[in-house]
Amino acid sequence: MPYINLQITKGATREQKAQIVKEFTETLVNVLGKKPEHTHIVIQEIEDENWGFSGILTDDFRKLSGDKS
């Protein structure tokens, strides 16, 4: 039973998340021969202030870079 736990920063639309679930499932079917009905995918959305990289929080990085996404 494949289980994928995907963590992303908040902001993805429902349609984008549906596409992720569809395409990840298709990949497991095509590459590993897994059954779609046995595949579980959890998407966890993390607030920008709770995600950091390169030594700074994501919300600070976005403020500095002008990134609105």
Side-chain angles (χ1 to χ4, degrees):
M1 168 181 78
Y3 168 77
I4 296 173
N5 184 350
L6 175 66
Q7 295 181 330
I8 59 175
T9 54
K10 287 199 173 199
T13 65
R14 187 178 197 292
E15 291 77 20
Q16 289 171 321
K17 290 184 263 187
Q19 182 177 353
I20 288 169
V21 169
K22 179 180 183 283
E23 292 185 17
F24 279 29
T25 300
E26 288 173 353
T27 297
L28 289 170
V29 169
N30 295 332
V31 175
L32 298 177
K34 299 300 182 179
K35 293 182 179 182
E37 63 270 23
H38 293 165
T39 300
H40 300 263
I41 300 169
V42 175
I43 299 173
Q44 294 178 302
E45 291 188 285
I46 312 296
E47 293 287 346
D48 287 353
E49 67 187 28
N50 295 327
W51 193 295
F53 68 101
S54 246
I56 62 173
L57 296 173
T58 299
D59 61 342
D60 289 335
F61 173 82
R62 288 187 173 161
K63 289 173 194 169
L64 292 172
S65 68
D67 182 2
K68 306 287 186 221
S69 59

